[in-house]
């Protein structure tokens, strides 16, 4: 399918502004550029309540933000990890999509940040994500959330962390999860798929950019064999919660994400994979610039409503 007209216009605009590849930026430059994605978003929706809090991991207080929708409690819960290549991203850039999911799904959305690379390399972010889930299990009831009705979600690097958190929760025997939403997750730094070559340049995130993000995140090449860094390396994917894997047609990480979805399905995990033709990496954050991002939001909302609708099995 042809590149979505709005996505093509956005890419042309970024090129006209002389935007460098992420791999050519300093860490501070990359963080600043990712922060500008708020300018690509529609006005944020009001929710019933927004609260700032923190959880503790690695002896550090780490911020999170809680979005509470209208309606009677208890609400299902979505724990959302932002993207940004493990290097960039923060709570502000996911404020708008978090509000949309909270309202659409009638869920308490807990947006959690984490210690970022390269100052904090693997396993810091993965450890933080697991600690954030424990915080949800222990504390979200104070905000009207149901700790027994939780979905983990993330986009890009956050999608990796959501997948890893689901693995760790399974391995640890809890907290129990009702589902996992992986939005164009980056899965494996050593992935060799057609999309890595076909979309290596010119689509916001290139192959060299992915390599740069991973090089900042992993402490050594050996980390790429660890399932809590690269979830596809897990000895087994059996027993994981139902999964929704969203990919976009025009991006380097498409095939590795779809391969992970196939592996989940082969392991007996109830998995839905949806590719959005014409769209690009980052579209979930682009509600103002790329209207079809609403299709991705709708898919997330419907999945969350579906997996959290039934009472948990005791």
């Amino acid at each position: 399918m042809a590149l979505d007209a709005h996505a093509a216009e956005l890419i042309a605009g970024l090129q006209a502004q002389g935007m460098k590849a992420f791999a050519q930026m300093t860490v501070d430059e990359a963080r600043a550029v990712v922060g500008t994605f708020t300018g690509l978003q529609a006005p944020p929706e009001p929710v019933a309540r927004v609260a700032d809090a923190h959880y503790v991991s690695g002896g550090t207080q780490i911020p999170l933000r809680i979005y509470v929708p209208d309606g009677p409690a208890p609400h299902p819960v979505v724990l959302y990890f932002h993207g940004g290549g493990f290097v960039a991203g923060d709570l502000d850039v996911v404020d708008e999509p978090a509000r949309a999911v909270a309202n659409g799904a009638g869920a308490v959305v807990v947006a959690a940040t984490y210690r970022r690379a390269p100052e904090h390399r693997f396993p810091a972010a993965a450890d933080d994500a697991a600690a954030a889930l424990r915080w949800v299990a222990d504390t979200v009831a104070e905000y009207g959330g149901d700790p027994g009705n939780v979905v983990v979600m993330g986009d890009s690097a956050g999608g990796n962390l959501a997948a890893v958190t689901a693995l760790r929760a399974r391995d640890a025997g809890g907290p129990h999860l009702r589902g996992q939403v992986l939005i164009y997750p980056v899965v494996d730094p050593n992935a060799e798929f057609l999309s890595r070559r076909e979309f290596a340049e010119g689509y916001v995130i290139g192959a060299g950019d992915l390599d740069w993000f991973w090089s900042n995140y992993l402490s050594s090449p050996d980390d790429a064999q660890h399932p809590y860094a690269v979830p596809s390396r897990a000895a087994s994917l059996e027993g994981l919660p139902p999964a929704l894997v969203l990919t976009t047609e025009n991006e380097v990480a498409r095939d590795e994400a779809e391969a992970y979805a196939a592996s989940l399905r082969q392991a007996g995990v109830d998995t839905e994979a949806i590719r959005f033709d014409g769209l690009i990496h980052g579209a979930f954050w682009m509600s103002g610039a790329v209207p079809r991002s609403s299709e991705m939001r709708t898919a997330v909302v419907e999945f969350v409503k579906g997996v959290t609708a039934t009472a948990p099995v005791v």
Side-chain angles (χ1 to χ4, degrees):
M1 180 177 174
L3 186 63
D4 173 85
H6 293 93
E9 183 178 353
L10 172 64
I11 290 171
L14 293 174
Q15 292 173 342
Q17 294 170 24
M19 178 180 165
K20 296 188 293 185
F22 282 99
Q24 298 172 342
M25 297 181 190
T26 66
V27 168
D28 286 343
E29 287 173 335
R31 289 172 179 167
V33 167
V34 171
T36 66
F37 272 66
T38 56
L40 305 177
Q41 296 170 352
E45 301 175 11
V47 295
R49 179 188 177 195
V50 180
D52 286 311
H54 69 268
Y55 67 101
V56 177
S57 179
T60 302
Q61 291 188 349
I62 302 174
L64 43 75
R65 188 168 294 156
I66 305 102
Y67 300 86
V68 182
D70 285 321
H75 302 280
V77 180
V78 176
L79 174 58
Y80 179 15
F81 302 112
H82 64 76
F86 307 104
V87 169
D90 55 25
L91 298 181
D92 291 338
V93 79
V94 294
D95 178 79
E96 186 271 332
R99 290 167 178 266
V101 172
N103 285 337
V108 172
V109 173
V110 179
T113 192
Y114 42 86
R115 289 174 292 169
R116 299 181 300 189
E119 297 91 341
H120 304 280
R121 293 176 180 266
F122 176 79
D127 289 347
D128 294 349
L133 178 58
R134 291 193 295 272
W135 182 94
V136 166
D138 294 340
T139 313
V140 78
E142 297 175 13
Y143 300 88
D146 180 356
N149 209 6
V150 178
V151 173
V152 288
M153 179 176 91
D155 51 68
S156 194
N160 173 287
L161 294 175
V164 165
T165 301
L167 274 174
R168 292 179 68 146
R170 180 205 63 182
D171 295 348
H176 175 72
L177 293 171
R178 304 297 293 278
Q180 52 180 321
V181 177
L182 314 179
I183 303 169
Y184 35 74
V186 293
V187 179
D188 184 352
N190 298 317
E192 290 289 344
F193 290 108
L194 177 62
S195 65
R196 282 278 185 121
R197 300 187 295 275
E198 188 175 359
F199 304 106
E201 295 181 352
Y203 293 89
V204 181
I205 301 291
D209 300 328
L210 273 191
D211 292 342
W212 182 76
F213 287 130
W214 279 110
S215 70
N216 277 289
Y217 179 51
L218 300 181
S219 300
S220 75
D222 290 343
D223 287 343
Q225 305 305 314
H226 199 299
Y228 294 166
V230 179
S232 57
R233 297 292 180 184
S236 171
L237 299 177
E238 293 181 1
L240 288 171
L244 173 66
V245 182
L246 304 185
T247 59
T248 57
E249 178 187 12
N250 304 285
E251 72 152 303
V252 284
R254 181 194 72 196
D255 291 353
E256 66 193 74
E258 292 177 357
Y260 187 65
S263 295
L264 287 168
R265 196 176 293 115
Q266 290 164 7
V269 178
D270 184 6
T271 303
E272 180 181 8
I274 305 173
R275 179 192 291 186
F276 291 86
D277 288 338
L279 294 188
I280 58 174
H281 194 94
F284 193 73
W285 289 359
M286 300 175 179
S287 55
V290 182
R292 283 188 58 214
S293 69
S294 64
E295 298 174 20
M296 306 183 78
R297 310 274 180 93
T298 297
V300 170
V301 163
E302 292 306 312
F303 175 82
V304 171
K305 289 165 68 175
V307 295
T308 62
T310 57
V313 177
V314 178

